Amino acid sequence: MTLEAPLKQEIVRVCRMLHRKNYLAATDGNVSVRLGDRVLVTPSGVHKGLMEANQVITVDLTGRVLRGEGRPTSEIRMHLLAYELRPDVGAVVHAHLPYATACTLAGIDLLEPILPEVVITLGGIPTAPYATPGSAAVPEAIREFLREYDAILLSRHGAMTVGQDVMDAYNKMEKLEHTARVVLVARLQGPVSPLPAAEVETLRRIGEKYRAGG
Ligand SMILES: [Zn+2]
């Protein structure tokens, strides 16, 4: 219980940042943190700018509620899948990023290596095919991407990021939206060319060291 309290505060902090940055609207989006065989997760139907720590719900790794009032987010399946597939993942953030979601509507593929920093830190940003939000089709649509990537766009829906902790996952969300804004603005001026293949290789090698903690 004592371990949960600071993590709940971290979840609240990230929810407020997501709302302040317009990464979601009203009750959209959800955040979770894994603590051993438990998951602390945001509740369904609560405004993320106004949520309090005592509203965070504790579930087990199958999504069964252990503690808390109300229901966990309807999008909990993608969180549970991340913890199932990736023992390295300690937190998951899902938001409805406006610019990044616009990229999926406009058919802009952010997996293209355009910005060097994105190749280094995220490897790339794939777009998972459309699935009805909250349905069992969402984890199936992201499963293969989740094995390889920490930041995934969900077509016509938003984005999901995973990290060692909740700030790490949040930072990837911020990076993703920043990338989408840069690419969208650049494309208003004309075509955008990808980085040359040799440079992408160099950046990937740097990225492997970076992600290994170098
Ligand atoms: Zn959503």
Side-chain angles (χ1 to χ4, degrees), residues 183-193:
V183 171
L184 276 172
V185 169
R187 287 184 58 132
L188 289 176
Q189 319 306 318
V192 174
S193 54

Side-chain angles (χ1 to χ4, degrees), residues 20-44:
R20 202 162 53 230
K21 297 277 279 182
N22 290 318
Y23 289 176
L24 44 76
T27 63
D28 292 351
N30 28 80
V31 176
S32 73
V33 172
R34 181 180 184 165
L35 183 61
D37 57 1
R38 285 169 285 166
V39 176
L40 309 180
V41 65
T42 51
S44 177

